[in-house]
PDB file of all heavy atoms in Angstrom:
ATOM      1  N   GLY A   1       0.824  -1.208   0.000  1.00 79.00           N
ATOM      2  CA  GLY A   1       0.000   0.000   0.000  1.00 79.00           C
ATOM      3  C   GLY A   1       0.853   1.251   0.000  1.00 79.00           C
ATOM      4  O   GLY A   1       0.610   2.193  -0.763  1.00 79.00           O
ATOM      5  N   MET A   2       1.889   1.271   0.846  1.00 77.00           N
ATOM      6  CA  MET A   2       2.808   2.411   0.856  1.00 77.00           C
ATOM      7  C   MET A   2       3.598   2.466  -0.444  1.00 77.00           C
ATOM      8  O   MET A   2       3.895   3.541  -0.967  1.00 77.00           O
ATOM      9  CB  MET A   2       3.747   2.311   2.056  1.00 77.00           C
ATOM     10  CG  MET A   2       3.043   2.438   3.384  1.00 77.00           C
ATOM     11  SD  MET A   2       4.183   2.397   4.793  1.00 77.00           S
ATOM     12  CE  MET A   2       5.064   3.927   4.535  1.00 77.00           C
ATOM     13  N   ASP A   3       3.936   1.302  -0.975  1.00 78.00           N
ATOM     14  CA  ASP A   3       4.691   1.244  -2.227  1.00 78.00           C
ATOM     15  C   ASP A   3       3.900   1.848  -3.380  1.00 78.00           C
ATOM     16  O   ASP A   3       4.453   2.544  -4.239  1.00 78.00           O
ATOM     17  CB  ASP A   3       5.039  -0.217  -2.538  1.00 78.00           C
ATOM     18  CG  ASP A   3       5.719  -0.385  -3.883  1.00 78.00           C
ATOM     19  OD1 ASP A   3       6.844   0.099  -4.031  1.00 78.00           O
ATOM     20  OD2 ASP A   3       5.113  -0.993  -4.786  1.00 78.00           O
ATOM     21  N   ARG A   4       2.575   1.615  -3.405  1.00 82.00           N
ATOM     22  CA  ARG A   4       1.759   2.178  -4.490  1.00 82.00           C
ATOM     23  C   ARG A   4       1.751   3.703  -4.424  1.00 82.00           C
ATOM     24  O   ARG A   4       1.684   4.373  -5.462  1.00 82.00           O
ATOM     25  CB  ARG A   4       0.332   1.624  -4.412  1.00 82.00           C
ATOM     26  CG  ARG A   4       0.201   0.227  -4.984  1.00 82.00           C
ATOM     27  CD  ARG A   4      -1.256  -0.170  -5.179  1.00 82.00           C
ATOM     28  NE  ARG A   4      -1.942  -0.375  -3.924  1.00 82.00           N
ATOM     29  CZ  ARG A   4      -1.911  -1.517  -3.226  1.00 82.00           C
ATOM     30  NH1 ARG A   4      -1.204  -2.532  -3.671  1.00 82.00           N
ATOM     31  NH2 ARG A   4      -2.577  -1.638  -2.098  1.00 82.00           N
ATOM     32  N   LEU A   5       1.819   4.244  -3.224  1.00 83.00           N
ATOM     33  CA  LEU A   5       1.920   5.698  -3.102  1.00 83.00           C
ATOM     34  C   LEU A   5       3.256   6.191  -3.653  1.00 83.00           C
ATOM     35  O   LEU A   5       3.318   7.193  -4.362  1.00 83.00           O
ATOM     36  CB  LEU A   5       1.777   6.121  -1.644  1.00 83.00           C
ATOM     37  CG  LEU A   5       0.358   6.204  -1.084  1.00 83.00           C
ATOM     38  CD1 LEU A   5       0.402   6.611   0.383  1.00 83.00           C
ATOM     39  CD2 LEU A   5      -0.486   7.188  -1.865  1.00 83.00           C
ATOM     40  N   VAL A   6       4.333   5.478  -3.324  1.00 77.00           N
ATOM     41  CA  VAL A   6       5.652   5.874  -3.828  1.00 77.00           C
ATOM     42  C   VAL A   6       5.680   5.813  -5.348  1.00 77.00           C
ATOM     43  O   VAL A   6       6.262   6.666  -6.012  1.00 77.00           O
ATOM     44  CB  VAL A   6       6.752   4.969  -3.222  1.00 77.00           C
ATOM     45  CG1 VAL A   6       8.111   5.268  -3.846  1.00 77.00           C
ATOM     46  CG2 VAL A   6       6.836   5.175  -1.714  1.00 77.00           C
ATOM     47  N   GLN A   7       5.032   4.805  -5.913  1.00 77.00           N
ATOM     48  CA  GLN A   7       4.997   4.674  -7.372  1.00 77.00           C
ATOM     49  C   GLN A   7       4.302   5.875  -8.006  1.00 77.00           C
ATOM     50  O   GLN A   7       4.534   6.183  -9.168  1.00 77.00           O
ATOM     51  CB  GLN A   7       4.260   3.385  -7.770  1.00 77.00           C
ATOM     52  CG  GLN A   7       4.963   2.102  -7.353  1.00 77.00           C
ATOM     53  CD  GLN A   7       6.246   1.853  -8.108  1.00 77.00           C
ATOM     54  OE1 GLN A   7       6.521   2.500  -9.103  1.00 77.00           O
ATOM     55  NE2 GLN A   7       7.050   0.925  -7.629  1.00 77.00           N
ATOM     56  N   ARG A   8       3.455   6.543  -7.250  1.00 82.00           N
ATOM     57  CA  ARG A   8       2.776   7.743  -7.755  1.00 82.00           C
ATOM     58  C   ARG A   8       3.420   9.010  -7.203  1.00 82.00           C
ATOM     59  O   ARG A   8       2.808  10.061  -7.156  1.00 82.00           O
ATOM     60  CB  ARG A   8       1.288   7.692  -7.399  1.00 82.00           C
ATOM     61  CG  ARG A   8       0.536   6.674  -8.265  1.00 82.00           C
ATOM     62  CD  ARG A   8      -0.795   6.329  -7.673  1.00 82.00           C
ATOM     63  NE  ARG A   8      -1.546   5.439  -8.533  1.00 82.00           N
ATOM     64  CZ  ARG A   8      -1.332   4.140  -8.633  1.00 82.00           C
ATOM     65  NH1 ARG A   8      -0.378   3.564  -7.921  1.00 82.00           N
ATOM     66  NH2 ARG A   8      -2.067   3.393  -9.443  1.00 82.00           N
ATOM     67  N   ASN A   9       4.679   8.850  -6.772  1.00 80.00           N
ATOM     68  CA  ASN A   9       5.466   9.995  -6.313  1.00 80.00           C
ATOM     69  C   ASN A   9       4.888  10.665  -5.073  1.00 80.00           C
ATOM     70  O   ASN A   9       4.961  11.883  -4.924  1.00 80.00           O
ATOM     71  CB  ASN A   9       5.630  11.031  -7.427  1.00 80.00           C
ATOM     72  CG  ASN A   9       6.644  10.594  -8.468  1.00 80.00           C
ATOM     73  OD1 ASN A   9       7.259   9.555  -8.324  1.00 80.00           O
ATOM     74  ND2 ASN A   9       6.804  11.384  -9.497  1.00 80.00           N
ATOM     75  N   VAL A  10       4.308   9.865  -4.183  1.00 85.00           N
ATOM     76  CA  VAL A  10       3.814  10.386  -2.907  1.00 85.00           C
ATOM     77  C   VAL A  10       4.553   9.664  -1.786  1.00 85.00           C
ATOM     78  O   VAL A  10       4.576   8.432  -1.743  1.00 85.00           O
ATOM     79  CB  VAL A  10       2.297  10.186  -2.749  1.00 85.00           C
ATOM     80  CG1 VAL A  10       1.837  10.680  -1.380  1.00 85.00           C
ATOM     81  CG2 VAL A  10       1.547  10.912  -3.846  1.00 85.00           C
ATOM     82  N   LEU A  11       5.170  10.419  -0.914  1.00 79.00           N
ATOM     83  CA  LEU A  11       5.880   9.851   0.222  1.00 79.00           C
ATOM     84  C   LEU A  11       4.998   9.916   1.455  1.00 79.00           C
ATOM     85  O   LEU A  11       4.619  10.997   1.899  1.00 79.00           O
ATOM     86  CB  LEU A  11       7.180  10.617   0.476  1.00 79.00           C
ATOM     87  CG  LEU A  11       7.905  10.274   1.773  1.00 79.00           C
ATOM     88  CD1 LEU A  11       8.361   8.827   1.764  1.00 79.00           C
ATOM     89  CD2 LEU A  11       9.075  11.207   1.988  1.00 79.00           C
ATOM     90  N   ALA A  12       4.638   8.744   1.987  1.00 79.00           N
ATOM     91  CA  ALA A  12       3.854   8.683   3.220  1.00 79.00           C
ATOM     92  C   ALA A  12       4.807   8.557   4.397  1.00 79.00           C
ATOM     93  O   ALA A  12       5.670   7.680   4.408  1.00 79.00           O
ATOM     94  CB  ALA A  12       2.894   7.498   3.183  1.00 79.00           C
ATOM     95  N   MET A  13       4.669   9.452   5.355  1.00 74.00           N
ATOM     96  CA  MET A  13       5.566   9.440   6.506  1.00 74.00           C
ATOM     97  C   MET A  13       5.272   8.284   7.456  1.00 74.00           C
ATOM     98  O   MET A  13       6.088   7.966   8.312  1.00 74.00           O
ATOM     99  CB  MET A  13       5.465  10.768   7.264  1.00 74.00           C
ATOM    100  CG  MET A  13       5.822  11.976   6.413  1.00 74.00           C
ATOM    101  SD  MET A  13       7.499  11.863   5.756  1.00 74.00           S
ATOM    102  CE  MET A  13       7.582  13.391   4.831  1.00 74.00           C
ATOM    103  N   SER A  14       4.097   7.667   7.327  1.00 69.00           N
ATOM    104  CA  SER A  14       3.755   6.536   8.183  1.00 69.00           C
ATOM    105  C   SER A  14       2.664   5.705   7.519  1.00 69.00           C
ATOM    106  O   SER A  14       1.890   6.212   6.708  1.00 69.00           O
ATOM    107  CB  SER A  14       3.272   7.010   9.557  1.00 69.00           C
ATOM    108  OG  SER A  14       2.011   7.635   9.434  1.00 69.00           O
ATOM    109  N   GLY A  15       2.633   4.418   7.873  1.00 69.00           N
ATOM    110  CA  GLY A  15       1.564   3.564   7.382  1.00 69.00           C
ATOM    111  C   GLY A  15       0.210   3.985   7.913  1.00 69.00           C
ATOM    112  O   GLY A  15      -0.818   3.783   7.277  1.00 69.00           O
ATOM    113  N   ARG A  16       0.212   4.603   9.095  1.00 75.00           N
ATOM    114  CA  ARG A  16      -1.033   5.096   9.688  1.00 75.00           C
ATOM    115  C   ARG A  16      -1.708   6.101   8.752  1.00 75.00           C
ATOM    116  O   ARG A  16      -2.931   6.123   8.616  1.00 75.00           O
ATOM    117  CB  ARG A  16      -0.734   5.752  11.034  1.00 75.00           C
ATOM    118  CG  ARG A  16      -1.965   6.246  11.787  1.00 75.00           C
ATOM    119  CD  ARG A  16      -1.541   7.113  12.960  1.00 75.00           C
ATOM    120  NE  ARG A  16      -0.732   6.373  13.906  1.00 75.00           N
ATOM    121  CZ  ARG A  16      -1.211   5.753  14.976  1.00 75.00           C
ATOM    122  NH1 ARG A  16      -2.508   5.800  15.229  1.00 75.00           N
ATOM    123  NH2 ARG A  16      -0.423   5.107  15.794  1.00 75.00           N
ATOM    124  N   ALA A  17      -0.894   6.936   8.077  1.00 80.00           N
ATOM    125  CA  ALA A  17      -1.451   7.943   7.164  1.00 80.00           C
ATOM    126  C   ALA A  17      -2.127   7.287   5.970  1.00 80.00           C
ATOM    127  O   ALA A  17      -3.169   7.751   5.496  1.00 80.00           O
ATOM    128  CB  ALA A  17      -0.347   8.888   6.693  1.00 80.00           C
ATOM    129  N   VAL A  18      -1.547   6.187   5.469  1.00 82.00           N
ATOM    130  CA  VAL A  18      -2.138   5.484   4.322  1.00 82.00           C
ATOM    131  C   VAL A  18      -3.496   4.914   4.712  1.00 82.00           C
ATOM    132  O   VAL A  18      -4.470   5.014   3.967  1.00 82.00           O
ATOM    133  CB  VAL A  18      -1.206   4.358   3.823  1.00 82.00           C
ATOM    134  CG1 VAL A  18      -1.771   3.723   2.552  1.00 82.00           C
ATOM    135  CG2 VAL A  18       0.191   4.898   3.545  1.00 82.00           C
ATOM    136  N   GLU A  19      -3.551   4.303   5.888  1.00 80.00           N
ATOM    137  CA  GLU A  19      -4.817   3.734   6.349  1.00 80.00           C
ATOM    138  C   GLU A  19      -5.853   4.819   6.602  1.00 80.00           C
ATOM    139  O   GLU A  19      -7.031   4.662   6.268  1.00 80.00           O
ATOM    140  CB  GLU A  19      -4.593   2.930   7.626  1.00 80.00           C
ATOM    141  CG  GLU A  19      -4.021   1.556   7.363  1.00 80.00           C
ATOM    142  CD  GLU A  19      -4.050   0.696   8.601  1.00 80.00           C
ATOM    143  OE1 GLU A  19      -4.431   1.194   9.674  1.00 80.00           O
ATOM    144  OE2 GLU A  19      -3.693  -0.485   8.487  1.00 80.00           O
ATOM    145  N   ALA A  20      -5.407   5.920   7.189  1.00 83.00           N
ATOM    146  CA  ALA A  20      -6.330   7.019   7.458  1.00 83.00           C
ATOM    147  C   ALA A  20      -6.936   7.529   6.159  1.00 83.00           C
ATOM    148  O   ALA A  20      -8.115   7.901   6.110  1.00 83.00           O
ATOM    149  CB  ALA A  20      -5.625   8.151   8.200  1.00 83.00           C
ATOM    150  N   ALA A  21      -6.133   7.530   5.088  1.00 85.00           N
ATOM    151  CA  ALA A  21      -6.638   7.971   3.779  1.00 85.00           C
ATOM    152  C   ALA A  21      -7.791   7.085   3.321  1.00 85.00           C
ATOM    153  O   ALA A  21      -8.724   7.554   2.664  1.00 85.00           O
ATOM    154  CB  ALA A  21      -5.512   7.958   2.746  1.00 85.00           C
ATOM    155  N   GLY A  22      -7.731   5.820   3.673  1.00 83.00           N
ATOM    156  CA  GLY A  22      -8.799   4.907   3.282  1.00 83.00           C
ATOM    157  C   GLY A  22     -10.082   5.111   4.055  1.00 83.00           C
ATOM    158  O   GLY A  22     -11.149   4.667   3.618  1.00 83.00           O
ATOM    159  N   ASP A  23      -9.997   5.785   5.202  1.00 84.00           N
ATOM    160  CA  ASP A  23     -11.178   6.008   6.043  1.00 84.00           C
ATOM    161  C   ASP A  23     -11.657   7.453   6.023  1.00 84.00           C
ATOM    162  O   ASP A  23     -12.511   7.843   6.823  1.00 84.00           O
ATOM    163  CB  ASP A  23     -10.874   5.605   7.494  1.00 84.00           C
ATOM    164  CG  ASP A  23     -10.832   4.095   7.665  1.00 84.00           C
ATOM    165  OD1 ASP A  23     -11.578   3.406   6.938  1.00 84.00           O
ATOM    166  OD2 ASP A  23     -10.044   3.607   8.490  1.00 84.00           O
ATOM    167  N   VAL A  24     -11.102   8.267   5.124  1.00 87.00           N
ATOM    168  CA  VAL A  24     -11.427   9.693   5.090  1.00 87.00           C
ATOM    169  C   VAL A  24     -12.909   9.912   4.789  1.00 87.00           C
ATOM    170  O   VAL A  24     -13.477   9.257   3.914  1.00 87.00           O
ATOM    171  CB  VAL A  24     -10.552  10.414   4.036  1.00 87.00           C
ATOM    172  CG1 VAL A  24     -11.162  11.733   3.610  1.00 87.00           C
ATOM    173  CG2 VAL A  24      -9.153  10.637   4.590  1.00 87.00           C
ATOM    174  N   ASN A  25     -13.518  10.832   5.534  1.00 87.00           N
ATOM    175  CA  ASN A  25     -14.922  11.197   5.312  1.00 87.00           C
ATOM    176  C   ASN A  25     -15.072  12.565   4.666  1.00 87.00           C
ATOM    177  O   ASN A  25     -16.056  12.840   3.991  1.00 87.00           O
ATOM    178  CB  ASN A  25     -15.692  11.225   6.640  1.00 87.00           C
ATOM    179  CG  ASN A  25     -15.508   9.969   7.453  1.00 87.00           C
ATOM    180  OD1 ASN A  25     -14.822   9.990   8.471  1.00 87.00           O
ATOM    181  ND2 ASN A  25     -16.106   8.885   7.015  1.00 87.00           N
ATOM    182  N   VAL A  26     -14.093  13.451   4.929  1.00 91.00           N
ATOM    183  CA  VAL A  26     -14.171  14.832   4.440  1.00 91.00           C
ATOM    184  C   VAL A  26     -12.870  15.180   3.726  1.00 91.00           C
ATOM    185  O   VAL A  26     -11.781  14.889   4.233  1.00 91.00           O
ATOM    186  CB  VAL A  26     -14.407  15.827   5.595  1.00 91.00           C
ATOM    187  CG1 VAL A  26     -14.491  17.255   5.060  1.00 91.00           C
ATOM    188  CG2 VAL A  26     -15.670  15.466   6.354  1.00 91.00           C
ATOM    189  N   LEU A  27     -12.999  15.784   2.559  1.00 89.00           N
ATOM    190  CA  LEU A  27     -11.851  16.160   1.743  1.00 89.00           C
ATOM    191  C   LEU A  27     -11.853  17.672   1.562  1.00 89.00           C
ATOM    192  O   LEU A  27     -12.797  18.237   1.020  1.00 89.00           O
ATOM    193  CB  LEU A  27     -11.970  15.466   0.375  1.00 89.00           C
ATOM    194  CG  LEU A  27     -10.701  15.076  -0.363  1.00 89.00           C
ATOM    195  CD1 LEU A  27      -9.808  14.220   0.504  1.00 89.00           C
ATOM    196  CD2 LEU A  27     -11.051  14.326  -1.635  1.00 89.00           C
ATOM    197  N   LEU A  28     -10.793  18.342   2.045  1.00 89.00           N
ATOM    198  CA  LEU A  28     -10.645  19.783   1.867  1.00 89.00           C
ATOM    199  C   LEU A  28      -9.704  20.032   0.693  1.00 89.00           C
ATOM    200  O   LEU A  28      -8.560  19.560   0.702  1.00 89.00           O
ATOM    201  CB  LEU A  28     -10.077  20.430   3.128  1.00 89.00           C
ATOM    202  CG  LEU A  28     -11.064  20.970   4.163  1.00 89.00           C
ATOM    203  CD1 LEU A  28     -11.952  19.858   4.679  1.00 89.00           C
ATOM    204  CD2 LEU A  28     -10.321  21.617   5.319  1.00 89.00           C
ATOM    205  N   LEU A  29     -10.184  20.746  -0.324  1.00 83.00           N
ATOM    206  CA  LEU A  29      -9.371  21.011  -1.500  1.00 83.00           C
ATOM    207  C   LEU A  29      -9.278  22.509  -1.743  1.00 83.00           C
ATOM    208  O   LEU A  29     -10.302  23.206  -1.756  1.00 83.00           O
ATOM    209  CB  LEU A  29      -9.962  20.328  -2.744  1.00 83.00           C
ATOM    210  CG  LEU A  29     -10.074  18.813  -2.670  1.00 83.00           C
ATOM    211  CD1 LEU A  29     -11.535  18.414  -2.627  1.00 83.00           C
ATOM    212  CD2 LEU A  29      -9.393  18.150  -3.838  1.00 83.00           C
ATOM    213  N   ASP A  30      -8.067  22.978  -1.943  1.00 76.00           N
ATOM    214  CA  ASP A  30      -7.874  24.373  -2.294  1.00 76.00           C
ATOM    215  C   ASP A  30      -8.420  24.610  -3.697  1.00 76.00           C
ATOM    216  O   ASP A  30      -8.238  23.778  -4.585  1.00 76.00           O
ATOM    217  CB  ASP A  30      -6.383  24.705  -2.245  1.00 76.00           C
ATOM    218  CG  ASP A  30      -6.127  26.180  -2.458  1.00 76.00           C
ATOM    219  OD1 ASP A  30      -6.820  26.991  -1.844  1.00 76.00           O
ATOM    220  OD2 ASP A  30      -5.240  26.513  -3.268  1.00 76.00           O
ATOM    221  N   LYS A  31      -9.097  25.731  -3.881  1.00 77.00           N
ATOM    222  CA  LYS A  31      -9.699  26.007  -5.197  1.00 77.00           C
ATOM    223  C   LYS A  31      -8.646  26.225  -6.269  1.00 77.00           C
ATOM    224  O   LYS A  31      -8.612  25.529  -7.287  1.00 77.00           O
ATOM    225  CB  LYS A  31     -10.601  27.238  -5.117  1.00 77.00           C
ATOM    226  CG  LYS A  31     -11.359  27.537  -6.405  1.00 77.00           C
ATOM    227  CD  LYS A  31     -11.726  29.002  -6.551  1.00 77.00           C
ATOM    228  CE  LYS A  31     -10.519  29.846  -6.890  1.00 77.00           C
ATOM    229  NZ  LYS A  31     -10.823  31.237  -7.225  1.00 77.00           N
ATOM    230  N   THR A  32      -7.747  27.160  -6.030  1.00 70.00           N
ATOM    231  CA  THR A  32      -6.792  27.576  -7.052  1.00 70.00           C
ATOM    232  C   THR A  32      -5.744  26.499  -7.292  1.00 70.00           C
ATOM    233  O   THR A  32      -5.036  26.096  -6.373  1.00 70.00           O
ATOM    234  CB  THR A  32      -6.096  28.885  -6.640  1.00 70.00           C
ATOM    235  OG1 THR A  32      -7.091  29.865  -6.361  1.00 70.00           O
ATOM    236  CG2 THR A  32      -5.193  29.383  -7.749  1.00 70.00           C
ATOM    237  N   GLY A  33      -5.670  26.036  -8.525  1.00 64.00           N
ATOM    238  CA  GLY A  33      -4.685  25.032  -8.888  1.00 64.00           C
ATOM    239  C   GLY A  33      -5.137  23.609  -8.635  1.00 64.00           C
ATOM    240  O   GLY A  33      -4.519  22.662  -9.128  1.00 64.00           O
ATOM    241  N   THR A  34      -6.188  23.433  -7.848  1.00 70.00           N
ATOM    242  CA  THR A  34      -6.703  22.093  -7.578  1.00 70.00           C
ATOM    243  C   THR A  34      -8.002  21.869  -8.336  1.00 70.00           C
ATOM    244  O   THR A  34      -8.100  20.985  -9.190  1.00 70.00           O
ATOM    245  CB  THR A  34      -6.949  21.906  -6.066  1.00 70.00           C
ATOM    246  OG1 THR A  34      -5.752  22.184  -5.358  1.00 70.00           O
ATOM    247  CG2 THR A  34      -7.394  20.487  -5.769  1.00 70.00           C
ATOM    248  N   ILE A  35      -8.992  22.678  -8.034  1.00 78.00           N
ATOM    249  CA  ILE A  35     -10.283  22.572  -8.717  1.00 78.00           C
ATOM    250  C   ILE A  35     -10.277  23.401  -9.993  1.00 78.00           C
ATOM    251  O   ILE A  35     -10.837  22.993 -11.013  1.00 78.00           O
ATOM    252  CB  ILE A  35     -11.409  23.019  -7.770  1.00 78.00           C
ATOM    253  CG1 ILE A  35     -11.487  22.055  -6.571  1.00 78.00           C
ATOM    254  CG2 ILE A  35     -12.747  23.083  -8.494  1.00 78.00           C
ATOM    255  CD1 ILE A  35     -12.460  22.488  -5.508  1.00 78.00           C
ATOM    256  N   THR A  36      -9.614  24.545  -9.953  1.00 76.00           N
ATOM    257  CA  THR A  36      -9.521  25.412 -11.133  1.00 76.00           C
ATOM    258  C   THR A  36      -8.075  25.475 -11.601  1.00 76.00           C
ATOM    259  O   THR A  36      -7.145  25.060 -10.899  1.00 76.00           O
ATOM    260  CB  THR A  36     -10.013  26.834 -10.815  1.00 76.00           C
ATOM    261  OG1 THR A  36      -9.111  27.426  -9.872  1.00 76.00           O
ATOM    262  CG2 THR A  36     -11.412  26.803 -10.234  1.00 76.00           C
ATOM    263  N   PHE A  37      -7.869  26.003 -12.799  1.00 70.00           N
ATOM    264  CA  PHE A  37      -6.517  26.117 -13.336  1.00 70.00           C
ATOM    265  C   PHE A  37      -5.698  27.180 -12.612  1.00 70.00           C
ATOM    266  O   PHE A  37      -4.482  27.189 -12.700  1.00 70.00           O
ATOM    267  CB  PHE A  37      -6.568  26.449 -14.832  1.00 70.00           C
ATOM    268  CG  PHE A  37      -6.941  25.271 -15.686  1.00 70.00           C
ATOM    269  CD1 PHE A  37      -8.210  25.166 -16.219  1.00 70.00           C
ATOM    270  CD2 PHE A  37      -6.030  24.263 -15.928  1.00 70.00           C
ATOM    271  CE1 PHE A  37      -8.558  24.076 -16.996  1.00 70.00           C
ATOM    272  CE2 PHE A  37      -6.364  23.170 -16.700  1.00 70.00           C
ATOM    273  CZ  PHE A  37      -7.634  23.070 -17.246  1.00 70.00           C
ATOM    274  N   GLY A  38      -6.360  28.094 -11.929  1.00 63.00           N
ATOM    275  CA  GLY A  38      -5.630  29.094 -11.156  1.00 63.00           C
ATOM    276  C   GLY A  38      -5.602  30.448 -11.816  1.00 63.00           C
ATOM    277  O   GLY A  38      -5.942  31.456 -11.214  1.00 63.00           O
TER     278      GLY A  38
END
């Protein structure tokens, strides 16, 4: 699971973070550059 993140150029500082991502209920996204082109 952590390896798949690395393959996508994401470094997880702990396995706990990977698992927490699987249980996320709320996603906060910055508008500029994320939802819009900026």
